[in-house]
Amino acid sequence: MKKMVYNFSEGDKSMVQTLGGKGAHLAEMTKIGIPVPPGFTITTEVCAEYYKLGKKISPELWDAILKNVTKVETAMKKSFGDKDNPLLFSVRSGAAVSMPGMMDSILNLGLNDEILQGLAKKNERFAYDSYRRLLQMFGDVVMKVDHDHFEHILDSRKKTRGIESDTELTADDLKYVVDEYKKVIKERSGKDFPQEPKEQLKLAIEAVFNSWNNDRAIAYRQLNHITGLIGTAVNVQTMVYGNSGEMSGTGVYFTRNPSTGENKLYGEYLMNAQGEDVVAGLRTPQHIETLKKIMPHCYDELVKIYKKVEKHYKDMQDMEFTIEDGKLWILQTRNGKRTAYAAIKIAVDMVKEKLITKKEALLKVDPKQIDQLLHKQLDPIARERAVALTKGLPASPGAAVGTIVFTAEDAEKAKEDGKKVVLVRTETSPEDIKGMAAAQGILTARGGMTSHAAVVARGMGKCCVSGCSELIIDLTTKTARVGNTLLKEGDYITLDGSTGTVIKGELPVVDPEMKGDFKTVMNWADETRKIGVRTNADTPHDATVAKNFGAEGIGLCRTEHMFFEGDRIKAVREMILSTTELGRRAALDKLLPMQRGDFEGIFKAMGTLPVTIRLLDPPLHEFLPTKEEEMQELAREMKVSIKVIKEVTESLHELNPMLGHRGCRLVITYPEMAEMQTRAIIEAACNVKKETGNDIVPEIMIPIVGHVNEFVMNKKIVDETAAKVMKEKGMALKYKVGTMIEIPRAALTADKIAEHAEFFSFGTNDLTQMTFGFSRDDIGKFLPDYLSKGVLEIDPFVSVDQEGVGQLMQLSVQNGRRTRKDLKVGICGEQGGEPKSVAFCHKIGLNYVSCSPYRVPIARLAAAHAAIKDENRRE
Amino acid sequence: MKKMVYNFSEGDKSMVQTLGGKGAHLAEMTKIGIPVPPGFTITTEVCAEYYKLGKKISPELWDAILKNVTKVETAMKKSFGDKDNPLLFSVRSGAAVSMPGMMDSILNLGLNDEILQGLAKKNERFAYDSYRRLLQMFGDVVMKVDHDHFEHILDSRKKTRGIESDTELTADDLKYVVDEYKKVIKERSGKDFPQEPKEQLKLAIEAVFNSWNNDRAIAYRQLNHITGLIGTAVNVQTMVYGNSGEMSGTGVYFTRNPSTGENKLYGEYLMNAQGEDVVAGLRTPQHIETLKKIMPHCYDELVKIYKKVEKHYKDMQDMEFTIEDGKLWILQTRNGKRTAYAAIKIAVDMVKEKLITKKEALLKVDPKQIDQLLHKQLDPIARERAVALTKGLPASPGAAVGTIVFTAEDAEKAKEDGKKVVLVRTETSPEDIKGMAAAQGILTARGGMTSHAAVVARGMGKCCVSGCSELIIDLTTKTARVGNTLLKEGDYITLDGSTGTVIKGELPVVDPEMKGDFKTVMNWADETRKIGVRTNADTPHDATVAKNFGAEGIGLCRTEHMFFEGDRIKAVREMILSTTELGRRAALDKLLPMQRGDFEGIFKAMGTLPVTIRLLDPPLHEFLPTKEEEMQELAREMKVSIKVIKEVTESLHELNPMLGHRGCRLVITYPEMAEMQTRAIIEAACNVKKETGNDIVPEIMIPIVGHVNEFVMNKKIVDETAAKVMKEKGMALKYKVGTMIEIPRAALTADKIAEHAEFFSFGTNDLTQMTFGFSRDDIGKFLPDYLSKGVLEIDPFVSVDQEGVGQLMQLSVQNGRRTRKDLKVGICGEQGGEPKSVAFCHKIGLNYVSCSPYRVPIARLAAAHAAIKDENRRE
């Protein structure tokens, strides 16, 4: 029989599968000498065995548990069940993968009527409160007495006493509550609350095992595709109390600042309080530094510990501690969540400190997260000059400028109306989440760095200033005050989430820049990654932004977007309305100089970097007006009757435009369109080459190819036109002709297409649409059901569906390169900037990914991650 | 050096690649002693060599040609270039694959001014006509003088002389024309027509080689995807003349009746005529039998020859002959085209005659063609009683009933108006083809069995009576007469294409039956084929028709078609308009008994044969009205405001319904729909089992699956409902749950889906739409261009695109069977009855194809062909 129970001194962090995440890290800390309240872990294998035995705890297991109880008693010099010096336990679940809140826990285990009296001698209120909590949890979890019954008793008592908060309840109140709880347990379950501590323990362990297969837990595992786990471990740990008096306290801290990354202990605590009091935000906690004065020895020990643990885990840690009667206990450590800014600073600092390598540092920055850094910041000069109205905690960095709203609903409404607002609240709660998402930023009067507002805002990458204590909000008049300053709904306000500064009025914001540590990390990423990162950009402005973000070229320049600018749409419509080739050519001649100008701008912006230009993609009807008045205006402009406009619109109508007459199919019918576009590209390249001396090598991309013949016919037009233009210009120019791979058939016949195409670019938007048979425009009717019911794990338009779409991609790369060894392959669908998709593209050997300008740094980092993980796997 | 020139006596039919089709069969006939005008073939390899040498005839080649000329001179006892007894040649192209009319030919080669005089001694008009033809062809093909110049001279002369036909030109007219032709050649080409016969020969051979790469020929090869050929062979053959006097003639014949298959010589000829006179239909030719009286020795020889050739080729032959001065020559043989009816009779007869095996017989019947036999025929009793108005030639079998039209345009217009018409013409020409297609049948006054009308009608599988000589048509009054009977436009007429009978009035027609030789062939097919043939049928009637045609089950029963019948659509709309599950369930409850009734009918019709029922496939908006008045009616019926109807319609609107909320996706949102349908199926199966004792095993098919989870969730509902129903009924029933493979992603993840699905059925309509990204509804805008420009060889909705869609199918079969060894796989898309697609399905190992009832026999035969060809390949 395998070892069933591990004392915390027997395991380590490598045993996550056996001990669960919580158990393994408690053991690891114990191992390196951190003062963890003693305890033991019953393995996940035992849980599986428990179910095999028909939900029974075997005598051998019980034996092992009791032996471990004894060990803890020895260590703590207390006895489980002793009325004078009682040892109490917490019994907690803990699987190998975190399933927060899904399974059950019971605290204060080991109390009974008699032991309570022993405890009460020291602190009566504390003793009754602990007992009341045990009764409530045990009653609910083990004895299946509905939660509501307990809540009801508690609420009644508070009402009777005219108080609002649990903390206001006196020892007498709690005595009354304990009695009532015991009655309701008896009444509802038909049994008395078991007074025997060992019986409590056994029942509690069974309850935790049982909770592994409760409906919530099963649903959670399904929804999150957590498979391969055999059960939960059970952690039985000595209870310690931060609320047992003035020499007690509890707190959380980060080994470095999770907001700025500064290498300085960062955290908060409350004396004579329990853990949840810190998180709840009802009392504003003290900064951890102040502990130095209050309990210097505890503070010194804390510093020693945090340094040791961080060095051990080689990462910034998020830790919980409790001081019970002057003795420091560490209850938890885990890698700390942090802002992107902090992640970058920490990563760079730790390399400087020689704690980690560059590659390890890169892995500490989550590519998804750095999106935060790519948003606007306050203009530094304006900020310098601005007078702060007040200051709060810098809960989540970035800048927010907007008019004030005081409720989440108002924020949502304002968002719908296109207004930019800052949500100002006393504190936030889960009901406010939508409003927080709708706002530019969040300002709260109460709550610390770990308050609801702070945690949620950081998660959203949204600017937040919390715990701004000078702020007094009057919801009834929708106004707020800071000293003598009145803030009304609709007034402008500016937040600096990185400093906690609040400024009245509207400050200018600037675009993010890549510098300092961010630049360092990005440079490391570039040194490390194997695949290129290009951008999707249709204008010189976008091209420049992307280049500054490190884009190594344009992977997709959509020419149709240019068709909508200014007066061009008129010429486009003229072309569409022409019934003859001659008429179409006349209209295209008008478009030519405009398109040429666009391309010149883009070529100039990109210098010698490659630019891939896609020829016209959408069906023609997308360019026609749909409303009666617009049609009438067009008729007037074109000097035709509205009947003609309607007829053409009708004739171009498609039942499934996604699968209609578009892309290269249009060119088969109207070759003159590709002629004009090719001419514009080649002429622009010649002109810019002449002007700048840069060797421009345009990459012309044919969209919607499904059959090699389509490509061949399109390429022929491009080649003939290019030859003609070069002859006219008397210039020789290299250019490439390639294709989008966005039709399943193109992927399936990539070998044939690669005989003619010089490069491929995956159009994963359309490829996903056709591979799934999902219309992106219509998916809203069923995708939410698909995600909530677990049919799909993730929206395949957000992250490449590796199993299906990815299979086609892999096939294309393999088969395409079989025909053309040096075939360059990229991706330019929306997923090109999504980290998981970037990793997949790395894996299947793409040359580059291309994404929107603001995602370029994300893609660069994700590509580095992929390369490092690949390397680690090989080692 | 390989042999460059083959005398006809040196080759055989196996040498098609070297000698071309024409050359190989001339050699084969020569080899077995058929009197073929002597000649020789220059190989296709020489053509390739000719191009390699820069379009030069090498001295060695010229030497070999001259040696062969001498051989022919010896055989014919005539001399090439001899003015008294001249040998003349035809020089014809002939590639390994027939490219009719694409390359050049020159006849009467070897004539010049001097030799002409020798020939003229015998028959002056004939001599000048021959010379004029040589000048025209040689001038055009070799000397590049435009065709029009010659036509112009000929037309002027006819105008001057006031005549219309070439045959009315006298010897003097032709003398004039010859002089003018020589002048125009000199004038336009700057050179005289070469008088030296050997020079003529050399230039002619070069011209034929050059024509291999003329624009037309290149385009034809591209369009028809003819690849792998190295060049054309050149056939140089002794000219023989059927128009050299009263002892001469020319004709064509089939070794058996190509219309009925009767084992009797069948053909027609004209004395003192050239080949094109027979085909042109200007003079109505004589029946071949009459030759017996006119030239008994020629007739006897013809009979001997045709029997020999047919026995040799083991197939009905289509042959051309010429009699020159009483001597019979055979100019061509090839397998004869025939009606489906004839093909079947010939195949069965030849097996009876022990000429061929059953399998060889099966290969002689083209599956595409038997469609003809599946169309209506005249009711035999009515036909027996009916008085024939007149009789023509039975040019194409079947029956046609309709009102008379006299022009092709009228036929087209009538078709548009939904009228059934018979096209009555003196003779037809290529401009009439659309009208012919629009008509039920064609009746012509002139022209034989090989006239334009007859050939085209047979090709179309359309009833035709030709050469109805009693019929006199007056186009100006749009009337026709047969004796005293007047036929006006709009009068009913009935044709029996199998007998040539024309009946005034409207006779009843009957559905085709499978009997006699047809049944025999179908039985052989069933013995031979390896894959099953099912049908797509939604009603008991269709199921019965298909069963009678030999369907072995239903491969696709579309339940949504049932939703439109009678009052059901109301309940369907009620369901769609319900905003609650309760409301939907109430509406579904109304549909349940109707659907159950449908399934009972189908199960009864099919007996113990398997029935695959597909659950609801289309998006819900397809069931809602689109017109204002219909909406208003629906609003009244449903007792809701029209606003509600419009809102629901609007909310269900989809931009790309093909890729929308449909099939199994609906069931994820509204499980109650699948519950109702499953209940209807299982209840029906229980009821029919109880009533008939037949063991019904319903196959329930989930549509639009793209991800295994979709299938699993749908199957769960089906299984739970089935279990519930069986419990209610107290009956046990086997049933299967499988899926359509119609989404590319399903094909790509077939291994995963097969873990749960018990069968697959390829929905190649949707699979083609998504693999190509083609909307079937919108393809009309570009598919014609695609086919005409050669982007696609064939409409992929007609015949499975083996390269792309087929690749996904093959993948599905392989991967599906890897997971589930005995996975049953079928196809139920439209292509399931198309012979090439059937062959492909056989090749990739499908268990069955399923097609519309009328295509079942086609599929059975196609499946047999596939099996035989497979066997032959393996041997």
Side-chain angles (χ1 to χ4, degrees), chain A residues 590-654:
Chain A
K590 292 184 195 167
L591 282 169
L592 174 66
M594 308 187 207
Q595 281 247 299
R596 186 176 52 223
D598 293 326
F599 296 137
E600 284 169 357
I602 286 171
F603 287 140
K604 279 184 202 163
M606 293 308 285
T608 55
L609 295 175
V611 175
T612 307
I613 297 166
R614 181 178 71 184
L615 301 188
L616 198 67
D617 180 68
L620 296 182
H621 51 78
E622 283 198 10
F623 298 103
L624 292 180
T626 51
K627 286 180 190 153
E628 181 79 19
E629 62 236 74
E630 287 175 339
M631 285 188 185
Q632 269 163 355
E633 198 191 318
L634 180 60
R636 271 195 305 277
E637 271 170 14
M638 300 280 152
K639 297 189 178 84
V640 295
S641 74
I642 183 147
K643 202 170 144 252
V644 170
I645 307 279
K646 283 186 176 170
E647 275 169 9
V648 172
T649 308
E650 182 57 31
S651 78
L652 289 178
H653 174 74
E654 292 181 315

Side-chain angles (χ1 to χ4, degrees), chain A residues 668 710 745 786 789 801, chain B residues 668 710 745 786 789 801:
Chain A
I668 304 270
E710 293 174 319
R745 200 182 183 287
Y786 268 52
K789 294 186 179 176
D801 160 50
Chain B
I668 305 270
E710 293 174 320
R745 200 183 184 288
Y786 268 52
K789 293 186 181 175
D801 159 51

Side-chain angles (χ1 to χ4, degrees), chain B residues 178-252:
Chain B
V178 161
D179 283 345
E180 293 298 309
Y181 275 14
K182 287 200 282 190
K183 276 186 215 156
V184 83
I185 287 176
K186 171 77 184 175
E187 203 178 293
R188 294 279 154 186
S189 73
K191 286 183 205 157
D192 283 313
F193 170 75
Q195 292 290 319
E196 169 53 40
K198 283 182 186 159
E199 192 188 347
Q200 288 175 17
L201 181 61
K202 197 172 197 172
L203 291 169
I205 290 169
E206 286 177 354
V208 172
F209 280 152
N210 291 341
S211 72
W212 171 252
N213 275 338
N214 70 29
D215 291 346
R216 275 185 312 166
I218 290 172
Y220 183 89
R221 288 196 294 272
Q222 268 181 355
L223 199 62
N224 291 281
H225 298 263
I226 299 173
T227 54
L229 297 191
I230 55 174
T232 182
V234 181
N235 297 294
V236 180
Q237 187 176 22
T238 304
M239 286 292 300
V240 290
Y241 294 95
N243 59 341
S244 68
E246 292 309 314
M247 287 296 284
S248 299
T250 190
V252 297

Side-chain angles (χ1 to χ4, degrees), chain A residues 161-218:
Chain A
R161 291 261 290 105
I163 54 177
E164 291 218 344
S165 155
D166 289 5
T167 54
E168 295 173 74
L169 290 167
T170 63
D172 281 343
D173 292 330
L174 291 166
K175 273 185 204 169
Y176 167 81
V177 168
V178 161
D179 283 344
E180 293 298 309
Y181 276 11
K182 287 199 283 189
K183 275 187 215 157
V184 82
I185 287 175
K186 171 77 183 175
E187 203 177 296
R188 294 278 154 189
S189 73
K191 287 182 203 158
D192 282 313
F193 169 76
Q195 293 290 319
E196 168 55 42
K198 283 182 186 158
E199 191 188 346
Q200 290 175 15
L201 181 60
K202 195 173 199 173
L203 289 169
I205 291 169
E206 285 177 353
V208 172
F209 280 152
N210 292 340
S211 72
W212 171 252
N213 275 337
N214 70 29
D215 292 346
R216 274 185 313 167
I218 290 172

Side-chain angles (χ1 to χ4, degrees), chain A residues 215-267:
Chain A
D215 292 346
R216 274 185 313 167
I218 290 172
Y220 184 89
R221 288 197 294 272
Q222 266 182 359
L223 199 63
N224 291 281
H225 297 263
I226 299 173
T227 54
L229 297 192
I230 56 174
T232 181
V234 181
N235 297 294
V236 180
Q237 188 176 22
T238 304
M239 286 293 301
V240 290
Y241 295 92
N243 59 341
S244 66
E246 291 311 312
M247 287 296 283
S248 300
T250 191
V252 297
Y253 66 86
F254 294 86
T255 57
R256 301 188 185 215
N257 186 316
S259 185
T260 65
E262 197 185 1
N263 187 3
K264 204 175 154 198
L265 185 61
Y266 179 90

Side-chain angles (χ1 to χ4, degrees), chain B residues 376-445:
Chain B
K376 296 175 189 301
Q377 303 276 335
L378 289 186
D379 173 64
I381 298 164
R383 187 177 56 184
E384 201 60 39
R385 288 184 191 153
V387 179
L389 173 65
T390 180
K391 248 191 148 179
L393 299 173
S396 184
V401 180
T403 53
I404 294 173
V405 292
F406 289 100
T407 69
E409 295 73 42
D410 288 343
E412 286 183 66
K413 234 179 72 202
K415 166 96 186 242
E416 278 166 23
D417 297 343
K419 285 186 208 153
K420 296 187 170 179
V421 295
V422 172
L423 177 61
V424 178
R425 302 282 290 158
T426 302
E427 59 199 350
T428 63
S429 68
E431 296 91 71
D432 294 330
I433 285 186
K434 274 195 188 171
M436 293 170 75
Q440 299 294 306
I442 299 111
L443 171 62
T444 69

